[in-house]
Amino acid sequence: MNRELKRVSFVVLAMFAALFVSTTFIQVVQADALRLDPRNTRALYDSYDTERGPILAGGTVIAQSVPTGDQYAFQREYPQGELYAPVTGYYNPTQGSAGIEQYMNDYLSGTSNTQFLDTINRIVAGQAPKGAAVEVTIDPVVQQAAFDALGDRQGGVVAIEPATGRILAMVSSPTYDPNVLASHDSKAVVDAYAALEDDPLKPLTNRATSGDMNPPGSSFKVIVAAAALESGKYTPESEFPNPVSFQLPGSTSEVFNWTRAACGPGETVTLKEALRQSCNVPMAELAIELGDDAIREQAEKFGFNSEILLPFPSGKSSYPSDLDDAQTGLTGFGQYEVRATPLQMAMTSAAIGNDGDLMAPNLIDRVTGRNLEVLQSFEPELMSETLDEESCVQLTDMMISAVSDGQSNGARIEGVDVAGKTGTAQNGTGEPYSLWFTGFAPAENPEVAVAVVVENDGNLGHHSSGNIVAAPIAKKVIEAVLNK
Protein backbone atom coordinates (compact mmCIF):
# COMPACT_ATOMS: atom_id res chain seq x y z
CA MET A 1 0.00 0.00 0.00
CA ASN A 2 2.75 2.41 0.91
CA ARG A 3 4.46 1.64 -2.40
CA GLU A 4 1.26 2.41 -4.34
CA LEU A 5 0.79 5.70 -2.47
CA LYS A 6 4.36 6.65 -3.25
CA ARG A 7 3.79 5.96 -6.95
CA VAL A 8 0.60 8.05 -6.97
CA SER A 9 2.35 10.86 -5.11
CA PHE A 10 5.22 10.76 -7.57
CA VAL A 11 2.84 10.94 -10.55
CA VAL A 12 0.93 13.86 -8.99
CA LEU A 13 4.16 15.75 -8.26
CA ALA A 14 5.40 15.08 -11.79
CA MET A 15 2.15 16.41 -13.21
CA PHE A 16 2.40 19.55 -11.08
CA ALA A 17 6.02 20.04 -12.13
CA ALA A 18 5.13 19.64 -15.79
CA LEU A 19 2.25 22.09 -15.41
CA PHE A 20 4.54 24.58 -13.65
CA VAL A 21 7.24 24.36 -16.33
CA SER A 22 4.72 24.61 -19.15
CA THR A 23 2.95 27.63 -17.64
CA THR A 24 6.23 29.37 -16.92
CA PHE A 25 7.49 28.74 -20.45
CA ILE A 26 4.31 30.16 -21.97
CA GLN A 27 4.22 33.21 -19.69
CA VAL A 28 7.91 34.06 -19.89
CA VAL A 29 9.10 32.86 -23.30
CA GLN A 30 6.08 32.60 -25.58
CA ALA A 31 3.83 35.40 -24.28
CA ASP A 32 4.85 38.10 -26.78
CA ALA A 33 4.91 35.70 -29.73
CA LEU A 34 1.44 34.41 -28.89
CA ARG A 35 0.12 37.94 -28.39
CA LEU A 36 1.45 39.04 -31.77
CA ASP A 37 0.47 35.88 -33.64
CA PRO A 38 -1.99 36.95 -36.39
CA ARG A 39 -4.08 33.83 -35.63
CA ASN A 40 -4.69 35.08 -32.09
CA THR A 41 -8.24 36.42 -32.53
CA ARG A 42 -8.45 37.38 -28.83
CA ALA A 43 -5.65 39.94 -29.32
CA LEU A 44 -7.38 41.12 -32.48
CA TYR A 45 -10.72 41.74 -30.75
CA ASP A 46 -8.95 43.29 -27.74
CA SER A 47 -7.26 45.77 -30.08
CA TYR A 48 -10.67 46.85 -31.38
CA ASP A 49 -11.98 47.31 -27.84
CA THR A 50 -9.04 49.42 -26.63
CA GLU A 51 -9.13 53.17 -27.03
CA ARG A 52 -5.79 53.52 -28.75
CA GLY A 53 -3.81 56.59 -27.68
CA PRO A 54 -3.72 59.71 -29.87
CA ILE A 55 -0.76 61.00 -31.89
CA LEU A 56 -0.22 64.74 -31.44
CA ALA A 57 1.81 67.36 -33.30
CA GLY A 58 2.22 70.65 -31.44
CA GLY A 59 -1.13 70.13 -29.70
CA THR A 60 -2.86 69.17 -32.95
CA VAL A 61 -4.44 65.71 -33.00
CA ILE A 62 -3.21 63.92 -36.12
CA ALA A 63 -4.45 60.43 -35.17
CA GLN A 64 -7.11 59.33 -32.70
CA SER A 65 -9.54 56.55 -31.87
CA VAL A 66 -13.24 57.29 -32.20
CA PRO A 67 -16.23 55.21 -30.97
CA THR A 68 -17.89 53.30 -33.79
CA GLY A 69 -21.16 52.01 -32.34
CA ASP A 70 -20.72 48.76 -34.27
CA GLN A 71 -19.51 45.38 -33.04
CA TYR A 72 -16.05 46.86 -32.51
CA ALA A 73 -15.67 49.66 -29.98
CA PHE A 74 -13.18 52.00 -31.73
CA GLN A 75 -11.78 52.86 -35.13
CA ARG A 76 -8.69 54.88 -35.99
CA GLU A 77 -9.25 58.35 -37.50
CA TYR A 78 -6.73 60.71 -39.14
CA PRO A 79 -8.16 64.29 -39.17
CA GLN A 80 -5.59 65.57 -41.72
CA GLY A 81 -4.65 62.22 -43.16
CA GLU A 82 -2.80 63.17 -46.35
CA LEU A 83 -0.78 65.92 -44.68
CA TYR A 84 0.60 63.68 -41.92
CA ALA A 85 0.56 60.23 -43.57
CA PRO A 86 4.41 60.00 -43.80
CA VAL A 87 4.52 60.55 -40.02
CA THR A 88 1.55 58.66 -38.62
CA GLY A 89 1.46 55.83 -41.13
CA TYR A 90 -1.77 53.85 -40.74
CA TYR A 91 -3.24 51.26 -38.38
CA ASN A 92 -5.53 48.35 -39.11
CA PRO A 93 -5.62 45.35 -36.76
CA THR A 94 -6.13 42.89 -39.60
CA GLN A 95 -4.12 44.43 -42.45
CA GLY A 96 -1.07 45.78 -40.66
CA SER A 97 0.35 49.19 -39.82
CA ALA A 98 3.13 51.63 -40.70
CA GLY A 99 4.92 54.73 -39.42
CA ILE A 100 4.47 55.89 -35.80
CA GLU A 101 1.39 53.67 -35.58
CA GLN A 102 3.61 50.62 -36.07
CA TYR A 103 6.80 51.58 -34.28
CA MET A 104 5.13 53.14 -31.18
CA ASN A 105 2.41 50.49 -31.08
CA ASP A 106 3.23 49.24 -27.58
CA TYR A 107 2.59 52.71 -26.10
CA LEU A 108 -0.40 53.53 -28.29
CA SER A 109 -2.05 50.21 -27.49
CA GLY A 110 -1.27 50.45 -23.76
CA THR A 111 0.83 47.28 -23.68
CA SER A 112 4.32 48.67 -23.07
CA ASN A 113 6.20 47.63 -19.95
CA THR A 114 6.13 51.22 -18.63
CA GLN A 115 2.31 51.05 -18.59
CA PHE A 116 2.17 47.95 -16.36
CA LEU A 117 1.33 49.88 -13.18
CA ASP A 118 -1.24 51.93 -15.06
CA THR A 119 -2.84 48.68 -16.20
CA ILE A 120 -3.01 47.43 -12.59
CA ASN A 121 -4.52 50.73 -11.40
CA ARG A 122 -7.01 50.66 -14.26
CA ILE A 123 -8.13 47.13 -13.41
CA VAL A 124 -8.51 48.01 -9.71
CA ALA A 125 -10.44 51.19 -10.56
CA GLY A 126 -12.58 49.38 -13.12
CA GLN A 127 -11.57 51.74 -15.94
CA ALA A 128 -11.64 50.86 -19.63
CA PRO A 129 -8.27 50.18 -21.33
CA LYS A 130 -6.64 53.16 -23.01
CA GLY A 131 -3.29 53.66 -24.73
CA ALA A 132 -0.74 56.42 -24.14
CA ALA A 133 -0.46 59.62 -26.19
CA VAL A 134 2.57 60.02 -28.48
CA GLU A 135 3.66 63.61 -29.14
CA VAL A 136 5.78 64.03 -32.26
CA THR A 137 8.25 66.84 -32.98
CA ILE A 138 6.46 68.01 -36.14
CA ASP A 139 5.52 71.71 -36.15
CA PRO A 140 2.09 71.97 -37.83
CA VAL A 141 2.89 75.39 -39.34
CA VAL A 142 6.14 74.18 -40.90
CA GLN A 143 4.55 70.91 -42.02
CA GLN A 144 1.72 72.77 -43.76
CA ALA A 145 4.19 75.17 -45.42
CA ALA A 146 6.30 72.28 -46.74
CA PHE A 147 3.18 70.43 -47.93
CA ASP A 148 1.82 73.48 -49.76
CA ALA A 149 5.20 74.40 -51.26
CA LEU A 150 5.82 70.90 -52.64
CA GLY A 151 2.26 70.81 -53.99
CA ASP A 152 1.51 68.06 -56.50
CA ARG A 153 5.14 67.54 -57.43
CA GLN A 154 6.68 64.13 -56.81
CA GLY A 155 9.26 64.28 -54.00
CA GLY A 156 9.97 64.87 -50.34
CA VAL A 157 10.86 67.58 -47.81
CA VAL A 158 12.52 67.33 -44.39
CA ALA A 159 13.17 70.20 -41.96
CA ILE A 160 15.33 69.68 -38.86
CA GLU A 161 16.19 71.80 -35.81
CA PRO A 162 20.03 71.66 -36.02
CA ALA A 163 20.79 72.04 -32.29
CA THR A 164 18.51 69.15 -31.23
CA GLY A 165 17.83 66.95 -34.26
CA ARG A 166 14.05 67.41 -33.81
CA ILE A 167 12.28 66.95 -37.13
CA LEU A 168 9.98 69.92 -37.76
CA ALA A 169 8.52 68.80 -41.08
CA MET A 170 8.36 65.56 -43.05
CA VAL A 171 6.39 65.63 -46.29
CA SER A 172 6.18 63.08 -49.08
CA SER A 173 4.30 63.44 -52.36
CA PRO A 174 2.20 61.89 -53.73
CA THR A 175 0.68 60.99 -50.40
CA TYR A 176 -2.37 58.92 -49.40
CA ASP A 177 -5.29 59.07 -47.00
CA PRO A 178 -4.64 56.63 -44.10
CA ASN A 179 -8.36 56.73 -43.23
CA VAL A 180 -9.11 54.38 -46.13
CA LEU A 181 -6.78 51.82 -44.51
CA ALA A 182 -8.35 52.15 -41.05
CA SER A 183 -11.79 50.82 -41.92
CA HIS A 184 -13.31 47.79 -40.17
CA ASP A 185 -14.39 46.54 -43.58
CA SER A 186 -11.48 44.20 -44.35
CA LYS A 187 -12.37 43.80 -48.04
CA ALA A 188 -12.49 47.58 -48.52
CA VAL A 189 -9.10 47.91 -46.81
CA VAL A 190 -7.55 45.14 -48.90
CA ASP A 191 -8.88 46.73 -52.11
CA ALA A 192 -7.66 50.20 -51.09
CA TYR A 193 -4.21 48.89 -50.16
CA ALA A 194 -3.92 46.99 -53.44
CA ALA A 195 -4.86 50.12 -55.39
CA LEU A 196 -2.20 52.14 -53.55
CA GLU A 197 0.43 49.46 -54.17
CA ASP A 198 -0.46 49.28 -57.86
CA ASP A 199 -0.22 53.05 -58.26
CA PRO A 200 2.94 53.67 -60.37
CA LEU A 201 3.67 56.84 -58.35
CA LYS A 202 3.99 54.73 -55.16
CA PRO A 203 2.08 56.93 -52.69
CA LEU A 204 2.80 54.50 -49.82
CA THR A 205 6.53 55.24 -50.17
CA ASN A 206 7.91 57.84 -47.79
CA ARG A 207 10.12 59.82 -50.17
CA ALA A 208 11.32 62.04 -47.30
CA THR A 209 13.14 59.19 -45.58
CA SER A 210 13.44 56.27 -47.99
CA GLY A 211 12.02 55.39 -51.39
CA ASP A 212 14.03 54.37 -54.43
CA MET A 213 16.66 57.01 -53.56
CA ASN A 214 17.92 59.71 -55.88
CA PRO A 215 21.46 60.77 -56.80
CA PRO A 216 22.02 64.00 -54.84
CA GLY A 217 23.76 65.71 -57.75
CA SER A 218 25.55 68.94 -56.93
CA SER A 219 24.08 69.14 -53.42
CA PHE A 220 26.66 66.43 -52.61
CA LYS A 221 29.44 68.94 -53.38
CA VAL A 222 29.15 70.27 -49.81
CA ILE A 223 30.27 66.85 -48.56
CA VAL A 224 33.19 66.70 -51.00
CA ALA A 225 34.16 70.22 -49.97
CA ALA A 226 33.88 69.20 -46.30
CA ALA A 227 36.23 66.25 -46.94
CA ALA A 228 38.70 68.60 -48.61
CA LEU A 229 38.69 71.11 -45.74
CA GLU A 230 38.96 68.37 -43.12
CA SER A 231 41.99 66.88 -44.91
CA GLY A 232 43.95 70.00 -44.01
CA LYS A 233 45.33 70.13 -47.56
CA TYR A 234 42.75 72.54 -48.98
CA THR A 235 41.16 75.88 -48.18
CA PRO A 236 38.32 77.74 -49.90
CA GLU A 237 41.02 79.51 -51.93
CA SER A 238 42.68 76.31 -53.19
CA GLU A 239 42.90 76.42 -56.98
CA PHE A 240 42.13 73.81 -59.62
CA PRO A 241 42.68 73.72 -63.40
CA ASN A 242 39.73 75.29 -65.21
CA PRO A 243 39.22 73.59 -68.59
CA VAL A 244 35.91 73.56 -70.47
CA SER A 245 35.80 69.78 -70.13
CA PHE A 246 37.66 67.08 -68.19
CA GLN A 247 38.31 63.56 -69.47
CA LEU A 248 37.94 61.06 -66.66
CA PRO A 249 41.10 58.96 -66.08
CA GLY A 250 41.08 55.57 -67.84
CA SER A 251 37.87 56.50 -69.61
CA THR A 252 36.62 58.14 -72.77
CA SER A 253 33.91 59.94 -70.80
CA GLU A 254 34.15 63.69 -70.38
CA VAL A 255 32.79 65.87 -67.60
CA PHE A 256 31.32 69.30 -68.41
CA ASN A 257 30.09 72.16 -66.28
CA TRP A 258 26.36 72.84 -66.50
CA THR A 259 27.07 75.89 -68.72
CA ARG A 260 29.25 73.82 -71.13
CA ALA A 261 31.88 76.54 -70.54
CA ALA A 262 34.82 77.04 -68.18
CA CYS A 263 34.09 77.88 -64.53
CA GLY A 264 34.80 81.59 -64.89
CA PRO A 265 37.41 83.39 -67.02
CA GLY A 266 40.69 82.27 -65.41
CA GLU A 267 42.94 79.32 -66.12
CA THR A 268 42.31 78.18 -62.56
CA VAL A 269 39.28 78.34 -60.26
CA THR A 270 39.07 78.30 -56.47
CA LEU A 271 37.11 75.75 -54.46
CA LYS A 272 34.81 78.53 -53.19
CA GLU A 273 34.06 79.73 -56.71
CA ALA A 274 33.46 76.17 -57.90
CA LEU A 275 30.85 75.72 -55.18
CA ARG A 276 29.28 79.14 -55.80
CA GLN A 277 28.90 78.49 -59.52
CA SER A 278 28.24 74.75 -58.99
CA CYS A 279 30.94 73.68 -61.45
CA ASN A 280 31.41 69.96 -62.08
CA VAL A 281 34.91 69.92 -63.60
CA PRO A 282 36.88 71.27 -60.61
CA MET A 283 34.80 69.15 -58.19
CA ALA A 284 35.62 66.03 -60.24
CA GLU A 285 39.30 66.98 -60.15
CA LEU A 286 39.10 67.53 -56.38
CA ALA A 287 37.32 64.21 -55.79
CA ILE A 288 40.04 62.28 -57.64
CA GLU A 289 42.77 64.09 -55.68
CA LEU A 290 40.99 63.28 -52.39
CA GLY A 291 40.22 59.67 -53.27
CA ASP A 292 37.01 57.78 -52.63
CA ASP A 293 38.09 56.63 -49.14
CA ALA A 294 38.34 60.21 -47.83
CA ILE A 295 34.98 61.18 -49.35
CA ARG A 296 33.31 58.02 -48.02
CA GLU A 297 34.71 58.64 -44.53
CA GLN A 298 33.31 62.16 -44.52
CA ALA A 299 29.96 61.06 -45.96
CA GLU A 300 29.64 58.38 -43.29
CA LYS A 301 30.24 60.96 -40.57
CA PHE A 302 27.11 62.69 -41.89
CA GLY A 303 25.17 59.39 -41.76
CA PHE A 304 25.67 57.82 -45.18
CA ASN A 305 25.74 54.00 -45.26
CA SER A 306 23.82 53.89 -41.96
CA GLU A 307 20.20 53.18 -41.16
CA ILE A 308 18.63 55.92 -39.05
CA LEU A 309 15.81 55.18 -36.58
CA LEU A 310 13.23 57.93 -36.08
CA PRO A 311 11.90 55.55 -34.47
CA PHE A 312 10.85 53.91 -37.76
CA PRO A 313 13.84 53.05 -39.95
CA SER A 314 14.90 55.34 -42.76
CA GLY A 315 16.37 54.22 -46.03
CA LYS A 316 20.15 53.91 -46.06
CA SER A 317 21.76 56.70 -48.10
CA SER A 318 24.85 55.35 -49.79
CA TYR A 319 28.32 56.25 -50.97
CA PRO A 320 29.74 53.27 -52.95
CA SER A 321 32.93 51.27 -52.33
CA ASP A 322 35.86 50.08 -54.48
CA LEU A 323 35.79 52.97 -56.94
CA ASP A 324 38.31 53.70 -59.66
CA ASP A 325 39.37 57.28 -60.39
CA ALA A 326 36.74 57.82 -63.08
CA GLN A 327 33.96 56.68 -60.78
CA THR A 328 35.36 58.77 -57.93
CA GLY A 329 35.40 61.80 -60.21
CA LEU A 330 31.68 61.36 -60.92
CA THR A 331 30.91 61.19 -57.20
CA GLY A 332 32.55 64.63 -56.86
CA PHE A 333 29.25 66.08 -58.07
CA GLY A 334 26.90 63.47 -56.59
CA GLN A 335 26.58 61.10 -59.53
CA TYR A 336 27.61 57.48 -60.28
CA GLU A 337 26.12 55.33 -57.47
CA VAL A 338 25.76 58.00 -54.77
CA ARG A 339 22.20 57.97 -53.43
CA ALA A 340 20.57 60.08 -50.72
CA THR A 341 17.28 60.85 -48.99
CA PRO A 342 16.07 64.34 -48.08
CA LEU A 343 16.50 63.27 -44.45
CA GLN A 344 20.19 62.54 -45.08
CA MET A 345 20.86 65.84 -46.84
CA ALA A 346 18.97 67.78 -44.14
CA MET A 347 21.15 66.02 -41.54
CA THR A 348 24.25 67.12 -43.49
CA SER A 349 23.20 70.77 -43.49
CA ALA A 350 22.12 70.56 -39.84
CA ALA A 351 25.57 69.30 -38.81
CA ILE A 352 27.38 72.04 -40.74
CA GLY A 353 25.12 74.67 -39.16
CA ASN A 354 25.60 73.17 -35.68
CA ASP A 355 29.40 73.64 -35.55
CA GLY A 356 29.97 70.14 -36.88
CA ASP A 357 27.89 68.28 -34.30
CA LEU A 358 25.35 66.00 -35.95
CA MET A 359 22.43 65.44 -33.59
CA ALA A 360 20.50 62.21 -34.05
CA PRO A 361 17.31 63.03 -35.96
CA ASN A 362 14.24 62.36 -33.87
CA LEU A 363 10.51 62.36 -34.49
CA ILE A 364 9.24 61.77 -30.91
CA ASP A 365 9.07 64.42 -28.19
CA ARG A 366 7.39 62.46 -25.39
CA VAL A 367 4.90 59.76 -24.45
CA THR A 368 2.27 60.54 -21.81
CA GLY A 369 -0.09 58.21 -19.94
CA ARG A 370 -3.80 58.57 -19.17
CA ASN A 371 -3.07 60.83 -16.16
CA LEU A 372 -0.65 62.96 -18.23
CA GLU A 373 2.35 61.38 -16.52
CA VAL A 374 5.42 61.30 -18.77
CA LEU A 375 6.18 57.67 -19.59
CA GLN A 376 9.11 58.48 -21.83
CA SER A 377 10.79 61.65 -23.05
CA PHE A 378 13.49 62.01 -25.65
CA GLU A 379 16.56 64.15 -25.12
CA PRO A 380 18.91 65.45 -27.85
CA GLU A 381 21.62 62.93 -28.63
CA LEU A 382 24.95 63.55 -30.36
CA MET A 383 25.24 61.18 -33.30
CA SER A 384 28.59 62.21 -34.79
CA GLU A 385 31.25 64.93 -34.82
CA THR A 386 31.52 65.64 -38.52
CA LEU A 387 33.72 68.75 -38.93
CA ASP A 388 35.94 70.97 -36.85
CA GLU A 389 34.81 74.52 -36.11
CA GLU A 390 37.09 76.21 -38.66
CA SER A 391 35.92 73.92 -41.46
CA CYS A 392 32.30 74.67 -40.52
CA VAL A 393 32.92 78.42 -40.72
CA GLN A 394 34.64 78.09 -44.11
CA LEU A 395 31.99 75.76 -45.56
CA THR A 396 29.15 77.94 -44.25
CA ASP A 397 30.72 80.99 -45.88
CA MET A 398 30.94 79.12 -49.20
CA MET A 399 27.30 78.00 -48.93
CA ILE A 400 26.17 81.56 -48.13
CA SER A 401 27.95 82.74 -51.27
CA ALA A 402 26.19 80.04 -53.31
CA VAL A 403 22.79 81.42 -52.23
CA SER A 404 23.51 85.16 -52.06
CA ASP A 405 24.92 85.53 -55.58
CA GLY A 406 25.54 82.04 -56.92
CA GLN A 407 23.66 79.23 -58.61
CA SER A 408 21.57 78.50 -55.51
CA ASN A 409 19.97 81.96 -55.33
CA GLY A 410 16.41 80.59 -55.55
CA ALA A 411 16.53 80.24 -51.75
CA ARG A 412 17.64 83.81 -51.10
CA ILE A 413 15.64 85.63 -48.37
CA GLU A 414 15.91 89.39 -47.96
CA GLY A 415 17.72 90.29 -44.72
CA VAL A 416 18.64 86.69 -43.86
CA ASP A 417 21.87 84.84 -44.63
CA VAL A 418 20.83 81.48 -46.06
CA ALA A 419 23.58 78.87 -46.50
CA GLY A 420 22.71 76.31 -49.13
CA LYS A 421 23.42 74.29 -52.23
CA THR A 422 21.29 73.10 -55.11
CA GLY A 423 21.55 69.95 -57.18
CA THR A 424 20.25 68.92 -60.60
CA ALA A 425 20.98 65.22 -60.75
CA GLN A 426 20.98 63.06 -63.87
CA ASN A 427 19.29 59.66 -63.71
CA GLY A 428 20.41 58.31 -67.07
CA THR A 429 20.20 59.28 -70.72
CA GLY A 430 16.83 60.83 -71.46
CA GLU A 431 15.57 60.26 -67.91
CA PRO A 432 14.03 63.13 -65.87
CA TYR A 433 16.28 65.01 -63.47
CA SER A 434 16.10 64.85 -59.66
CA LEU A 435 16.09 68.41 -58.32
CA TRP A 436 17.63 69.22 -54.93
CA PHE A 437 18.26 71.92 -52.39
CA THR A 438 19.80 71.61 -48.95
CA GLY A 439 20.75 74.38 -46.54
CA PHE A 440 20.16 76.15 -43.25
CA ALA A 441 19.24 79.58 -41.87
CA PRO A 442 19.97 82.00 -40.38
CA ALA A 443 23.52 80.97 -41.27
CA GLU A 444 25.12 82.48 -38.15
CA ASN A 445 22.71 80.78 -35.72
CA PRO A 446 20.51 78.34 -37.64
CA GLU A 447 16.97 77.62 -36.49
CA VAL A 448 16.28 75.16 -39.29
CA ALA A 449 18.07 72.93 -41.77
CA VAL A 450 16.07 71.77 -44.74
CA ALA A 451 16.39 69.44 -47.72
CA VAL A 452 14.10 69.12 -50.71
CA VAL A 453 14.06 66.62 -53.54
CA VAL A 454 11.70 66.91 -56.50
CA GLU A 455 11.62 63.95 -58.84
CA ASN A 456 10.52 63.70 -62.47
CA ASP A 457 11.99 67.09 -63.45
CA GLY A 458 9.36 68.87 -61.36
CA ASN A 459 6.99 68.21 -64.30
CA LEU A 460 8.98 70.76 -66.37
CA GLY A 461 11.02 68.47 -68.59
CA HIS A 462 14.74 69.11 -68.94
CA HIS A 463 14.13 72.85 -68.64
CA SER A 464 14.12 72.55 -64.84
CA SER A 465 16.89 72.76 -62.22
CA GLY A 466 17.30 72.51 -58.49
CA ASN A 467 17.52 76.28 -58.31
CA ILE A 468 14.29 76.84 -60.25
CA VAL A 469 12.17 74.19 -58.51
CA ALA A 470 13.66 72.90 -55.23
CA ALA A 471 15.27 76.06 -53.82
CA PRO A 472 12.01 78.11 -53.75
CA ILE A 473 10.30 75.25 -51.87
CA ALA A 474 13.07 75.26 -49.27
CA LYS A 475 12.80 79.04 -49.04
CA LYS A 476 9.12 78.81 -48.05
CA VAL A 477 9.90 76.20 -45.41
CA ILE A 478 12.68 78.35 -43.95
CA GLU A 479 10.40 81.40 -43.94
CA ALA A 480 7.72 79.41 -42.11
CA VAL A 481 10.21 78.70 -39.32
CA LEU A 482 11.69 82.20 -39.15
CA ASN A 483 8.27 83.92 -39.22
CA LYS A 484 6.94 82.03 -36.22
Side-chain angles (χ1 to χ4, degrees), residues 13-290:
L13 285 173
M15 291 174 66
F16 272 109
L19 181 62
F20 176 77
V21 171
S22 175
T23 303
T24 302
F25 185 77
I26 291 172
Q27 291 292 332
V28 175
V29 179
Q30 293 185 313
D32 285 343
L34 291 172
R35 180 170 56 84
L36 298 175
D37 193 313
R39 296 166 296 178
N40 185 351
T41 56
R42 176 178 294 178
L44 170 63
Y45 292 127
D46 284 350
S47 69
Y48 278 119
D49 290 336
T50 298
E51 184 179 358
R52 193 172 171 83
I55 302 175
L56 307 165
T60 299
V61 176
I62 60 176
Q64 61 186 342
S65 290
V66 295
T68 60
D70 60 22
Q71 59 180 319
Y72 306 117
F74 295 97
Q75 180 173 315
R76 213 55 173 154
E77 180 184 80
Y78 303 90
Q80 300 178 74
E82 293 188 346
L83 174 60
Y84 289 101
V87 178
T88 62
Y90 57 86
Y91 177 78
N92 186 290
T94 60
Q95 304 302 328
S97 56
I100 294 296
E101 291 279 31
Q102 179 180 359
Y103 288 90
M104 296 297 285
N105 179 61
D106 284 356
Y107 286 110
L108 292 167
S109 63
T111 59
S112 73
N113 293 333
T114 58
Q115 290 160 282
F116 177 75
L117 291 178
D118 180 69
T119 301
I120 299 297
N121 292 334
R122 175 182 60 77
I123 293 173
V124 172
Q127 297 174 322
K130 184 177 181 180
V134 174
E135 300 177 44
V136 297
T137 58
I138 296 294
D139 185 319
V141 173
V142 184
Q143 180 79 359
Q144 187 70 58
F147 185 83
D148 293 343
L150 187 59
D152 61 359
R153 301 178 186 89
Q154 182 178 315
V157 180
V158 170
I160 294 178
E161 198 171 69
T164 63
R166 296 173 71 247
I167 296 175
L168 304 177
M170 177 185 292
V171 169
S172 178
S173 175
T175 183
Y176 66 97
D177 182 0
N179 288 295
V180 302
L181 302 178
S183 169
H184 289 174
D185 183 338
S186 292
K187 183 178 184 309
V189 171
V190 169
D191 290 345
Y193 188 84
L196 289 168
E197 276 213 313
D198 291 342
D199 189 326
L201 296 181
K202 302 180 181 178
L204 289 174
T205 297
N206 187 343
R207 288 179 164 84
T209 62
S210 53
D212 292 337
M213 302 280 187
N214 292 274
S218 293
S219 65
F220 191 74
K221 289 173 181 171
V222 297
I223 294 176
V224 178
L229 298 175
E230 281 293 280
S231 72
K233 301 175 183 176
Y234 301 88
T235 72
E237 304 307 321
S238 294
E239 295 186 341
F240 301 89
N242 187 26
V244 172
S245 65
F246 173 61
Q247 184 169 338
L248 294 169
S251 165
T252 58
S253 297
E254 287 186 287
V255 171
F256 293 88
N257 298 318
W258 69 277
T259 58
R260 291 273 167 169
C263 193
E267 293 185 355
T268 60
V269 59
T270 65
L271 173 59
K272 180 176 182 178
E273 186 64 9
L275 200 72
R276 187 185 75 82
Q277 293 200 45
S278 196
C279 298
N280 293 336
V281 169
M283 296 306 295
E285 295 170 336
L286 170 60
I288 293 171
E289 288 182 14
L290 283 169

